[in-house]
Amino acid sequence: MTPRHLSRLRLTAFRNYAAAALDLDARHVVLTGPNGAGKTNLLEAVSVLSPGRGLRGASFETLQLQGSDLPWAVAASVETDDGPSDIGTGAAPDGGRRVRINGANARSIEAMSDYLRVLWLTPAMDGLFSGPASDRRRFLDRLVTTLIPTHSASVGDYEKAMRQRNRLLEDGGDPAWLGAIEAQLAELGASIHLARTDSLQHLQALIEQSVEDGSFPAAHLALTPLFESAAEPQSAAALESALTELWRGSRGVDRAAGRTISGPHRVDLDVTYRQKAMPAALGSTGEQKALLIGLILAHARLVKLRTGITPFLLLDEIAAHLDPDRRRALFSALDGLGTQCFLTGTDRLLFEALGDRAQTVTVKDGRLQKD
């Protein structure tokens, strides 16, 4: 059975691509070329075929090719067991984006997830474990969204409601209106937190099952406490009630601080290097990179197990800091997933071990040449 894969990719006025076209088979895709040629831009184009803002987290207006009169667009044909499906997304008049599936307007952005799921690793994520908590939350929410496509929208709605609460506190708004906003915030917050904890539990269980593999270090994952001085409710209703009570009682403190100081938006992802029983942030640069790769590979297996769709992996400059043995281990692990992976690098020799398991595309100044 041929694995699910992109057989055709078309870009219009996207980043540095005025127009680009790629016809692909089911093998991995290696993109090589100099820095600034557009390799990461092409990965970003694939990443916007999923909920959220893609691998750079950029606003959609910034995806537009400067000076072009055409709106940006990305279209792909996805080969599935039921035959090919055409997925397209592009600029909408309101500054967001629209989605079309098989020639018809999609009912939602999340509808793309019925056909493909996407995960990625970029050099910007190399400092994930030692960087700010906000980066780890975004990373976690990306993992959750790959399992639960509506999660990204819930996070966006939560952040919008929190900004409304902060403004009401600052302006001394109507307490009744503030209570209504807090109730909405609690409903969204409970949904987000439970989705995070459930996803982490399943991911950790899968990591424990494969810890003896040894190709990449294993992680122990946990969330920091949501409440400082109280046990965490396990049901959605109880959690909503506890969050509502938390925010009602902290209005004075939050007004003085100028922000909402407690809630799911303050939770951190705690990562431990399991084999060495130490915080991931204390590992060497190479250990942290390998740990991150192991996490993504484990999550890809979880998505396949839970949804029946193995995610496409977008791996930007992934091989540059891996020794030859670990590169071979990575390529073997990618083969084991049974999915199409997109890998970039300036030196094609780094991908020699893939042999004919990959198709190579040269990228230069926003132009693509399949070898």
Side-chain angles (χ1 to χ4, degrees), residues 92-335:
D94 63 0
R97 61 167 169 161
R98 66 182 93 199
V99 172
R100 290 177 65 82
I101 297 177
N102 293 326
N105 291 328
R107 64 186 185 279
S108 67
I109 298 293
E110 290 77 26
M112 292 186 289
S113 298
D114 294 340
Y115 302 87
L116 74 165
R117 310 286 171 113
V118 188
L119 284 171
W120 53 78
L121 274 179
T122 69
M125 298 163 65
D126 285 353
L128 181 73
F129 303 128
S130 55
S134 57
D135 288 350
R136 287 184 290 279
R137 279 193 298 274
R138 279 193 293 271
F139 173 76
L140 172 60
D141 286 331
R142 180 66 232 167
L143 298 186
V144 177
T145 297
T146 318
L147 283 168
I148 308 169
T150 56
H151 182 75
S152 179
S154 296
V155 171
D157 290 343
Y158 175 89
E159 292 173 347
K160 180 179 178 181
M162 185 173 60
R163 289 192 296 271
Q164 290 178 316
R165 178 180 186 266
N166 292 342
R167 283 195 297 271
L168 281 171
L169 287 173
E170 182 181 358
D171 298 340
D174 180 5
W177 181 240
L178 188 57
I181 290 294
E182 287 171 347
Q184 179 191 16
L185 197 60
E187 182 180 0
L188 289 164
S191 173
I192 289 167
H193 189 71
L194 291 175
R196 287 171 174 171
T197 54
D198 182 67
S199 298
L200 276 190
Q201 287 172 2
H202 285 93
L203 179 56
Q204 189 63 56
L206 196 62
I207 290 172
E208 295 296 330
Q209 291 173 15
S210 57
V211 74
E212 300 303 325
D213 173 17
S215 299
F216 291 92
H220 184 272
L221 308 169
L223 290 178
T224 56
L226 181 58
F227 301 99
E228 289 185 2
S229 57
E232 189 172 299
Q234 298 303 304
S235 72
L239 187 54
E240 281 184 40
S241 178
L243 286 171
T244 301
E245 188 63 31
L246 170 71
W247 289 320
R248 183 184 296 117
S250 66
R251 289 175 184 175
V253 174
D254 291 348
R255 182 180 294 110
R259 58 189 174 88
T260 302
I261 61 176
S262 299
H265 61 287
R266 301 291 293 172
V267 167
D268 195 0
L269 174 62
D270 186 49
V271 185
T272 301
Y273 186 163
R274 190 183 186 280
Q275 284 90 337
K276 292 192 173 183
M278 72 176 185
L282 299 182
S284 68
T285 301
E287 286 174 330
Q288 291 188 43
K289 183 82 169 185
L291 192 60
L292 192 53
I293 292 171
L295 258 179
I296 289 294
L297 292 174
H299 191 67
R301 294 195 297 271
L302 177 63
V303 174
K304 179 180 182 179
L305 184 67
R306 295 290 299 275
T307 70
I309 300 175
T310 308
F312 295 101
L313 297 189
L314 312 178
L315 307 177
D316 196 14
E317 298 290 349
I318 192 69
H321 301 294
L322 299 179
D323 60 45
D325 287 341
R326 190 146 271 170
R327 280 202 299 273
R328 283 190 289 270
L330 171 62
F331 298 154
S332 177
L334 297 182
D335 291 339

Side-chain angles (χ1 to χ4, degrees), residues 14-15 40-48 55-56 58 63:
F14 186 91
R15 293 291 191 185
T40 305
N41 290 345
L42 191 114
L43 296 191
E44 186 178 26
V46 178
S47 75
V48 298
L55 60 80
R56 284 192 175 102
L63 304 181

